[in-house]
Amino acid sequence: MDTLKPIAVWEDIVFESEPREPKQIRTTLSHQCQVLTGTMAEYSFGGSDEENAELKKLNAEVLEEPDSFEHWEKLVRAAESLEGGLNRNSSPQSISATRDIYDRFLAKFPLLFGYWKKYADLEFSIAGTEAAELVYERGVASITNSVDLWTNYCAFKVETSHDPDVIRELYERGASSVGLDFLAHPFWDKYLEFEERLEAQDKIFPILDRIVHIPMHQYARYFERYRHLAQVRPLIELLPADMLAQFRAEIENEGPAERGELEIERELRSRIDNFHLEIFHRTQTETTKRWTYESEVKRPYFHVTELDEGQLVNWRKYLDFEEIEGDYMRTQFLYERCLVTCAYYDEFWLRYARWMIAQDGKEEEVRNIYQRASMLYAPISRPTVRLQYAFFEESVDRVELAKDIHQAILVNLPGHIETIVSLANLSRRHGGLDAAIEVYKSQIDSMQCDIYAKAALVAEWARLLWKIKGSVDEARQVFQKNQHWYLDSRPFWINYLFFELEQPTSAETEPTQYKRIKQVHEDIRKKSHLPPLAIKDLSHYYMVYLQERGTKEAAKEYMTLDREVNGPFSVQNTMKAKLAEDGREASTQRRMMMENGHPGVEVDEAAIRRGENPYTKYYQQQGEQQLPSDNQPLRYQ
C-alpha cells in the first residue's frame, strides 16, 4: 500500500491526484459553497403538511447556522422519519428531499461513518442493492480508513452478492485501507468468517499470515489460531520456498543421513514453529510499544466537539514515535487515522504535508493532503493551510495555480490582509515590484476591502518601496499622501512611525531625521483619531528615541511629553485641546469645571443616578482599569 488516496466518486468531494488547472480552485470552492448552503425555500419536502412545515423550519435553521451539527442532526432525523419511515413505496418528494438532505449533510461532515451506513441502509430500502453500494463507495472514498464502514460494506456485499471473487476483491480493498489499524480486528474477523463459510482453508492461512505481523489489539488470539492451523497445512504454505529449502538443508546437514522424510518433516515443522514464535514475540513487542499511545486515544472517531489538550499531545507523541520507527506505510496510516479525529486542527494537516514532502517522489500525495484540508476541513476563516498550499504549488512551478488559490481565499474572505500581502509578494517574486504594487492598488481601490485593511495595505505598499526598491522618498510620500484617510488606523501609524525611526542616520543627517520623526509623532497625538492608550504606547517609542538619539535639548521635550502622556488628565493639555470645540485646552477645562465642578473629569449626571462611578469614563479614556472600591476585587487585563 503506497498511499491512502481517496477515489473521487461524486462531484462534491474532489480528491483527484491530477493537478488542478488554473481557475479550478475557485470554481470548486464556489460549487461546494452552493452545495452546503443551497436553499430549498421553494421546495416541498413531501410528507404531511405538518412534516413539511417542520422540515422547512429545520432547514432554515441549518441555512442560518451551517456549522451547527445539532441543527443538521435534527434535520436528518426528521427527514428519515418522513411518512413513518421511507421505503420504495414512499412519495418521490420525500425520497428526493431526504437524499438531498443526506447529500448536503455528508458533504459538510464526510467523516461521520455511521451516517454513511444509515444512508446506505436507507438507499437499500428505497432503491435496492446498487443504490446502497454507490453510497458505500462514496463513504469509503470520504473516510478511507474507517474500520467500521469497511466492515459494514463488506458484510453488506456478502449478503447481497453471490460472486466470491467480487466479495474477496472488496475485502482486499478494505484490508489495504484499514488492515493496519490497531483496532482492525472486527474487519479481519469478518474476512476470515467469509472464507470459513466457503471452507476456503487455502485462503484462511495466508490471511492469518498477514495478520500475525500487524501490531494490533487482539494479536494473540490470531497467532494461536495461526499456530494451530500451521500444524495441518502443507509445508509449502508455511514459509517462502527459499526459506523452506534453507531450513531443510540445515536439518539434512546437521543429522544422520539415513533419517526418513517423516523425521525431517517433523524437525522442519518444529523449526517453523520456532520461527513463527519469533514473529509472535516481535509483534508482541511492537504492540506493547504502541499500547502506550493507543490506551490514551479516547476518541478514535470524528466529532465536531473539540479535543482536550491531553488528546492532542498524545497524537503528537504517537506521530513522533511512528516517524522515528521509520516505516512509511505505518506512519502514513497513523497520519490518516489522526486526521479523522483531528480533522479540524490545522497543525496536523500541515505536519502531515511537511512529513510527506520529505519523502522522495511524493509530490502528488502532498498535493492531495493540501487539497483535502483546503476543500473540506480547514475553514476559510483560517486560511493558513491554503496559503501553505499556494507556497507548495509555487515551489513546483505552478505559479498561476498558486495565484488562483489566493484569489479563491479572497472571494470568500475579501480584504484579508495576510492573504493580500502573500499574493503581492508572490506577484513580486514572479512579476517584479510593479506587479506587487498593482495587487495593493487593486485591493485598496476595491469596495470589498474595508478602511482598516486598506490602511494596513498602504503601509505594506510603502514597505515594498522602501525595502525592495530602496526608495525612502517614495515610501515616505505614500505615507504622507495617505495619512488623512487613515486617522483611525493603528497599524498605519505604527508602521509610519517605525519607518521614520528605522532610517539610518549620521551626525549630519540626524537633525533632519529628528524633525521628520517629531512631525509623525505630533500628527499621531494631534491629528489621529487613535484611542488614548494607543497614542500613549506610540509616544513611549518616541520618548525612547529622545533618550537614545536626542540632542542636549531632548530632556526638556521628554519631561513635557512625560507630563502630557503619563500625567493625570488635568495636565494633559494636548488631550484637552482635542476635546475642545475651538481647539483650546482652556475651553475644555472651563466647560468641565462648570458642568462637573472638577477640571479633570467629565461626569455624566445620568450615569451617577444609575449608580455608576463618575470616574469610569475617565479611566476608559485613559486606557486604564478603574480602581476597585472596598467591596470590589482587583481585575487585571
Side-chain angles (χ1 to χ4, degrees), residues 44 50 96 147 185 205 230 256 269 289 297 299 304 318 406 541 571 583 603 635:
S44 172
E50 183 179 347
S96 177
V147 173
H185 53 276
F205 190 77
R269 287 190 180 275
K289 288 192 291 188
V297 176
R299 194 176 82 192
V304 295
Y318 199 175
H406 284 84
Y541 287 110
V571 297
V603 178
R635 294 180 182 177

Side-chain angles (χ1 to χ4, degrees), residues 45-78:
F45 289 91
S48 66
D49 291 342
E50 183 179 347
E51 288 176 327
N52 192 48
E54 175 67 11
L55 279 168
K56 282 187 176 181
K57 179 180 80 69
L58 294 173
N59 190 64
E61 290 175 356
V62 161
L63 295 176
E64 181 70 24
E65 295 183 73
D67 293 328
S68 171
F69 177 73
E70 183 180 349
H71 290 340
W72 277 106
E73 196 173 31
K74 288 179 181 178
L75 179 61
V76 171
R77 209 158 42 228

Side-chain angles (χ1 to χ4, degrees), residues 4 16 29 60 138 145-146 190 239 246 329 346 367 381 417 445 465 491 570 589 617:
L4 295 171
E16 79 276 22
L29 284 176
R138 289 166 55 184
N145 57 341
S146 171
K190 284 292 182 182
L239 286 178
Q246 178 187 337
M329 287 173 56
D346 294 357
R367 179 173 289 113
S381 58
I417 296 170
D445 292 340
L465 293 170
S570 60
Q589 187 147 321
K617 185 175 181 182

Side-chain angles (χ1 to χ4, degrees), residues 167-185:
I167 298 171
R168 193 170 285 124
E169 181 182 356
L170 185 64
Y171 267 115
E172 282 300 311
R173 283 177 56 199
S176 67
S177 295
V178 301
L180 294 179
D181 197 292
F182 194 79
L183 299 174
H185 53 276

